[in-house]
Amino acid sequence: MKYTRLAKEQFEELHQEFINFLATQSITAEEWSQLKQEKPEVAEQELDVFSDLIWEGVLGKVKYLENISEQHMHLFELTDKEMKLVSVKVLNPDVDLRTKVGFGWFKRNFQSDFVEYLTASKAYSDDKNQDKFNLIQQGAVITKGELYQWFDEIIN
């Protein structure tokens, strides 16, 4: 398995897609039930293969990721050739960017001496989707990129 197995809730959401996946493997509903009972290790492998296929599709489309902690924001734009980063560090220990109050403070003070910015870019490794997945594993979430674009305009 290349990525991680989808959660039970994700499998439930993708129920029809999973049925279609099994159909491409020429596995009927009856055969799937039988496989789960008689060869659970094979059923587990099918779940893993399906999970990887879903991850590949999602990661191939992802354009922006955000990882926000108490005093840091790491905003990524994932282009065809590289990952671009806008990093924001809040130097006020009383601010938690994950809260409405903390983010409100940030919006009022983003140009103050209590906020530092850094931009960087990095080429992908040989496996672009694995690089994206690693960022997600570290806490980043997929977004539409509005925050990244806002910062990109301010900084540039």
Side-chain angles (χ1 to χ4, degrees), residues 105-124:
W105 177 92
F106 170 75
K107 288 196 300 191
R108 292 186 304 277
N109 296 282
F110 72 92
Q111 291 180 313
S112 76
D113 290 340
F114 289 102
V115 181
E116 292 180 350
Y117 298 95
L118 170 80
T119 59
S121 61
K122 179 181 174 184
Y124 293 108

Side-chain angles (χ1 to χ4, degrees), residues 6-137:
L6 298 174
K8 183 180 183 228
E9 297 81 13
Q10 292 168 314
F11 274 111
E12 289 169 1
E13 284 290 319
L14 297 167
H15 179 74
Q16 188 58 52
E17 288 82 354
F18 186 63
I19 291 170
N20 294 344
F21 167 76
L22 291 175
T24 65
Q25 308 289 318
S26 300
I27 300 172
T28 65
E30 184 180 310
E31 290 169 330
W32 176 245
S33 294
Q34 186 178 1
L35 199 61
K36 288 191 298 186
Q37 288 180 357
E38 296 174 10
K39 295 182 182 175
E41 67 285 347
V42 175
E44 296 286 318
Q45 289 172 355
E46 292 294 334
L47 293 172
D48 291 348
V49 170
F50 178 74
S51 293
D52 279 348
L53 285 172
I54 294 298
W55 273 112
E56 282 289 333
V58 169
L59 294 168
K61 294 177 186 172
V62 124
K63 298 292 180 212
Y64 295 95
L65 293 172
E66 293 177 3
N67 191 341
I68 301 175
S69 62
E70 289 178 16
Q71 269 92 36
H72 292 89
M73 279 191 269
H74 298 287
L75 311 171
F76 300 91
E77 179 182 26
L78 308 168
T79 68
D80 288 338
K81 298 191 186 295
E82 64 186 1
M83 299 179 280
K84 295 180 180 180
L85 167 70
V86 172
S87 179
V88 179
K89 181 177 182 182
V90 173
L91 303 174
N92 180 344
D94 298 327
V95 172
D96 184 343
L97 292 169
R98 299 170 301 178
T99 67
K100 193 172 185 174
V101 171
F103 201 78
W105 177 92
F106 170 75
K107 288 196 300 191
R108 292 186 304 277
N109 296 282
F110 72 92
Q111 291 180 313
S112 76
D113 290 340
F114 289 102
V115 181
E116 292 180 350
Y117 298 95
L118 170 80
T119 59
S121 61
K122 179 181 174 184
Y124 293 108
S125 69
D126 291 339
D127 191 339
K128 184 188 301 188
N129 284 348
Q130 185 66 54
D131 294 342
K132 295 175 185 181
F133 183 75
N134 291 342
L135 291 171
I136 292 170
Q137 288 293 96

